[in-house]
């Protein structure tokens, strides 16, 4: 998301709101202002459930609290080797269901108390409690036990051998300070002062929050990996994308986490000499989802879309590379199956099918569709070949693509009626299966096991009612597999592509904007600013904006 800057009056107003945040030559040289679309309100591990399970809270938690280990640059979630030490300085495998982690003895909570195995055990007990953390406990369901061996070693046991044990033990939750929280009734933690004044062990400590405006952080001088070079972090909030652009361009912000469409925004920022554009693989996947059931009576198959020939004709009617270029330029691609850019299984997967209009028309003829009245729209037994496409009116990307989809499908005689809804209404109708075709977009975790949510017979997010027992069996084998499971996952993707429950349209690359005065800039696809701790600050540039 991106922003411009308002020049003298706005800089003065910003500095009055939080002194030292605006980075002028006279200001402090080791601060950064990041502008984003939403504000963290509950950045506390084990409390980020339901509506609190959002990007703002999770990314803020990564500044305050340290995981046992982090994903490496390959984002590989399977096996024990693709991770980097954080709170745990090392780990070892005792057998196929046992992992031991040795905590770094230098780790301290921001009140000076050492981080110990007691903290890990306390947090995992909360995280695995279905009454306290129903979503999180589901992610940790394969962890059967955890014990301490002294103050600096914790041992995890798992219910069965599988490839993502280390990922499950380290990614989903970061330890909390037991010495501050274990006297608070478990159900009362969400109402405690700890939520508004958290004490972590991460690279930054909480300073203050002004609702609807900003959160301020300060560098933790006792951080076990070394005090961050950037002393002060202001995360400023602007829900409107244009406002974020304006903060960035006018000098009131130094960084922005995803330049919003249209493409002209990227072109505009590329011409600003003091800004650097940085592409980052995204967790986002956009697709049109076919309802496998009749939206008017879901105990029956869909009267038209249950025919795979029609679904395949829709796929072959679309020039997906053209659609992606129109909206994302060079910062996007057509995915093969439901695999976003952060899923390691996408590497080596087959190439998506290309547009094939003659084959699309042939399939529609085989299915009995003809243009009997020569109006340009195919029909069968007096019924025109048409569908509704449901989409939220809050998504500029989907609105732009929907108009292009409508145009391309009309070329083969398919009428597509666009139905835009306010987001809550769209989401309610989608979850209830009240659609023909839904324009969906998902944000994926880095693990391919998350595909079970939308693409297995019993997946909780499978609103299109797609069900292929063979896909379920392949996913289970891949999840339970040991060693390299990539080929199994590729077979999952191939099978889903063949079944055509959806047409997978776009997998974007996010583009971040960062002031050039910052050096050693690294951005994580799984948590935008988690590597801010490693950034350094270079000399002031002789350009406007600093």
């Amino acid at each position: 998301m991106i922003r411009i800057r308002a020049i003298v009056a706005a800089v003065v107003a910003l500095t009055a709101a939080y002194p030292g945040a605006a980075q002028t030559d006279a200001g402090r040289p080791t601060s950064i202002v990041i502008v984003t679309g939403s504000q963290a309100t509950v950045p506390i591990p084990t409390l980020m459930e339901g509506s609190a399970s959002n990007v703002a809270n999770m990314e803020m938690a990564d500044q305050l609290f340290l995981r046992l280990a982090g994903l490496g640059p390959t984002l590989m979630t399977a096996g024990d080797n693709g991770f980097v030490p954080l709170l745990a300085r090392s780990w070892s495998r005792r057998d196929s269901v046992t992992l031991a982690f040795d905590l770094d003895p230098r780790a301290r909570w921001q009140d000076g108390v050492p981080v110990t195995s007691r903290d890990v055990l306390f947090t995992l007990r909360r995280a695995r409690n279905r009454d306290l953390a129903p979503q999180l406990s589901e992610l940790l369901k394969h962890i059967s036990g955890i014990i301490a061996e002294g103050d600096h070693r914790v041992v995890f046991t798992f219910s069965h051998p599988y490839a993502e044990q280390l990922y499950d033990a380290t990614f989903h939750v970061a330890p909390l300070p037991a010495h501050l929280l274990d006297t608070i009734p478990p159900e009362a933690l969400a109402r405690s002062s700890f939520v508004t004044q958290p004490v972590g062990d991460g690279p930054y400590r909480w300073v203050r929050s002004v609702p609807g405006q900003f959160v301020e952080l300060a560098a933790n001088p006792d951080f076990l990996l070394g005090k961050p070079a950037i002393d002060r972090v202001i995360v400023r909030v602007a829900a409107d994308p244009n406002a974020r652009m304006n903060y960035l361009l006018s000098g009131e912000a130094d960084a922005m986490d995803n330049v919003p469409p249209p493409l002209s925004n990227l072109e505009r920022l590329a011409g600003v000499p003091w800004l650097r554009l940085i592409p980052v693989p995204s967790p986002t996947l956009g697709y049109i989802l076919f309802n496998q059931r009749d939206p008017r009576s879901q105990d029956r198959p869909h009267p038209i879309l249950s025919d795979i020939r029609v679904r395949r004709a829709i796929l072959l009617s679309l020039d997906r590379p053209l659609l992606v270029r129109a909206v994302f330029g060079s910062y996007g691609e057509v995915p093969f199956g439901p695999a976003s850019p952060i899923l390691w299984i996408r590497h080596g997967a087959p190439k998506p099918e290309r547009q094939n209009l003659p084959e699309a028309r042939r399939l529609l003829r085989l299915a009995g569709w003809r243009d009997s009245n020569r109006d340009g729209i195919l029909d069968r037994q007096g019924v025109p070949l048409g569908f509704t496409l449901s989409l939220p009116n809050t998504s500029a990307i989907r609105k732009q693509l929907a108009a292009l989809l409508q145009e391309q499908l009309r070329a083969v005689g398919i009428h597509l009626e666009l139905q835009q809804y306010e987001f809550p209404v769209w989401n309610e109708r989608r979850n209830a299966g009240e659609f023909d075709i839904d324009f969906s977009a998902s944000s994926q975790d880095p693990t391919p096991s998350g595909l079970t949510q939308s693409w297995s017979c019993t997946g909780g997010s499978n609103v299109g009612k797609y069900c292929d027992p063979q896909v379920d069996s392949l996913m289970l084998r891949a999840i339970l597999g040991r060693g390299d499971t990539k080929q199994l996952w590729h077979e999952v993707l191939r099978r889903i592509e063949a079944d055509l429950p959806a047409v997978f349209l776009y997998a974007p690359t996010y583009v971040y904007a960062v002031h050039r005065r910052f050096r050693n800039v690294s951005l994580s696809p799984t948590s935008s600013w988690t590597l801010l701790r490693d950034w350094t600050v270079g000399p002031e540039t002789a350009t406007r904006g600093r």
Side-chain angles (χ1 to χ4, degrees):
M1 311 162 189
I2 304 185
R3 1 21 276 214
I4 304 184
R5 310 181 168 200
I7 308 190
V8 181
V11 171
V12 170
L14 178 66
T15 307
Y18 32 89
Q23 298 200 24
T24 62
D25 289 343
R28 69 173 64 200
T30 58
S31 60
I32 187 171
V33 178
I34 299 168
V35 63
T36 188
S38 57
Q39 185 166 350
T41 55
V42 190
I44 311 297
T46 76
L47 292 183
M48 294 181 289
E49 293 275 331
S51 61
S53 178
N54 57 54
V55 171
N57 282 331
M58 292 177 180
E59 293 194 343
M60 185 62 66
D62 283 337
Q63 301 300 333
L64 304 173
F65 301 94
L66 203 60
R67 292 181 172 95
L68 291 174
L71 284 174
T74 65
L75 302 181
M76 173 67 75
T77 59
D80 298 348
N81 299 320
F83 295 77
V84 295
L86 292 175
L87 185 57
R89 62 181 179 181
S90 63
W91 50 87
S92 59
R93 178 166 291 285
R94 294 184 174 177
D95 55 43
S96 63
V97 293
T98 311
L99 280 170
F101 294 85
D102 289 311
L103 305 182
D104 194 319
R106 298 173 298 169
R108 296 287 186 276
W109 296 108
Q110 290 159 3
D111 61 1
V113 174
V115 179
T116 68
S117 52
R118 174 190 172 200
D119 302 308
V120 182
L121 266 62
F122 167 80
T123 306
L124 264 293
R125 281 197 298 270
R126 283 190 55 88
R128 294 168 62 206
N129 185 325
R130 293 186 180 275
D131 293 330
L132 297 175
Q135 293 174 326
L136 185 54
S137 63
E138 177 65 19
L139 296 173
L140 301 174
K141 64 183 178 183
H142 300 308
I143 297 174
S144 57
I146 176 172
I147 62 171
E149 293 181 354
D151 285 343
H152 292 97
R153 178 174 293 163
V154 290
V155 180
F156 285 74
T157 55
F158 300 86
S159 56
H160 56 274
Y162 65 101
E164 292 189 335
Q165 291 176 355
L166 183 56
Y167 172 79
D168 282 350
T170 60
F171 183 82
H172 300 301
V173 63
L176 291 165
H179 71 285
L180 295 177
L181 305 179
D182 63 1
T183 58
I184 300 174
E187 67 281 358
L189 178 57
R191 303 185 300 275
S192 71
S193 60
F194 187 84
V195 174
T196 55
Q197 289 294 326
V199 175
D201 57 354
Y204 286 92
R205 61 179 180 83
W206 186 272
V207 175
R208 58 174 170 154
S209 172
V210 177
Q213 296 186 42
F214 66 90
V215 172
E216 179 182 354
L217 305 176
N220 176 9
D222 300 318
F223 181 51
L224 71 87
L225 299 179
K227 180 181 179 290
I230 299 174
D231 291 318
R232 187 184 183 95
V233 177
I234 299 292
V235 181
R236 183 164 187 176
V237 181
D240 180 69
N242 292 323
R244 296 197 295 273
M245 282 284 295
N246 289 332
Y247 284 134
L248 191 69
L249 290 171
S250 64
E252 292 180 62
D254 301 296
M256 178 178 179
D257 57 2
N258 186 20
V259 179
L263 274 174
S264 57
N265 283 340
L266 283 173
E267 296 164 358
R268 187 180 183 190
L269 292 179
V272 179
W274 66 84
L275 290 176
R276 177 189 306 146
L277 297 183
I278 303 173
V280 180
S282 85
T284 298
L285 184 78
Y287 54 96
I288 56 172
L289 176 67
F290 299 124
N291 197 342
Q292 303 281 309
R293 312 303 296 175
D294 187 338
R296 290 164 292 278
S297 180
Q298 295 186 26
D299 58 344
R300 301 192 307 246
H302 194 284
I304 302 175
L305 292 173
S306 58
D307 189 337
I308 194 171
R309 294 172 298 186
V310 175
R311 301 200 303 273
R312 183 160 174 76
I314 291 174
L315 166 72
L316 295 175
S317 299
L318 300 177
D319 187 343
R320 291 182 287 171
L322 178 65
L323 296 174
V324 169
R325 287 195 302 272
V327 176
F328 301 101
S330 60
Y331 296 106
E333 62 185 18
V334 178
F336 182 81
S340 73
I342 70 166
L343 286 188
W344 54 269
I345 62 172
R346 61 186 284 273
H347 300 294
K351 296 294 184 183
E353 282 194 87
R354 307 286 294 196
Q355 184 185 44
N356 188 336
L357 294 178
E359 178 64 8
R361 294 187 176 104
R362 187 187 74 84
L363 288 169
L364 292 172
R365 285 195 301 271
L366 285 176
W369 297 96
R370 304 282 192 277
D371 185 5
S372 60
N373 58 5
R374 300 185 181 277
D375 66 349
I377 300 299
L378 302 180
D379 57 83
R380 187 176 63 186
Q381 298 178 349
V383 177
L385 181 54
F387 310 100
T388 60
L389 177 66
S390 300
L391 66 153
N393 63 7
T394 52
S395 173
I397 288 173
R398 279 178 271 181
K399 286 195 288 187
Q400 184 178 352
L401 280 170
L404 298 173
L405 289 170
Q406 189 179 46
E407 179 182 340
Q408 290 191 359
L409 289 177
R410 186 172 182 86
V412 295
I414 298 174
H415 173 67
L416 195 64
E417 179 184 346
L418 307 185
Q419 291 186 339
Q420 297 185 34
Y421 299 99
E422 295 291 334
F423 184 88
V425 176
W426 166 78
N427 194 48
E428 182 180 354
R429 291 179 61 88
R430 183 180 188 273
N431 290 335
E434 296 175 0
F435 62 89
D436 286 326
I437 305 175
D438 181 74
F439 205 149
S440 300
S442 63
S443 181
Q444 298 179 329
D445 285 336
T447 169
S449 63
L451 297 183
T452 59
Q453 290 300 306
S454 295
W455 310 106
S456 70
C457 295
T458 58
S461 301
N462 184 5
V463 298
K465 302 297 187 264
Y466 165 64
C467 183
D468 182 341
Q470 185 173 344
V471 169
D472 286 15
S473 176
L474 285 167
M475 285 198 284
L476 183 61
R477 286 173 56 198
I479 290 169
L480 297 181
R482 299 166 66 182
D484 188 355
T485 59
K486 182 183 290 187
Q487 293 307 313
L488 280 171
W489 283 114
H490 283 176
E491 185 58 33
V492 169
L493 298 181
R494 280 192 288 269
R495 183 73 186 188
I496 292 174
E497 279 278 344
D499 287 343
L500 268 169
V503 175
F504 301 101
L505 292 175
Y506 65 86
T509 295
Y510 287 164
V511 183
Y512 290 60
V514 178
H515 197 286
R516 290 185 180 275
R517 68 193 299 268
F518 297 101
R519 305 287 190 266
N520 197 35
V521 172
S522 185
L523 296 160
S524 169
T526 59
S527 182
S528 302
W529 312 105
T530 190
L531 298 176
L532 189 66
R533 61 180 183 255
D534 299 327
W535 294 19
T536 58
V537 185
E540 296 289 345
T541 58
T543 60
R544 176 180 170 235
R546 282 296 174 274

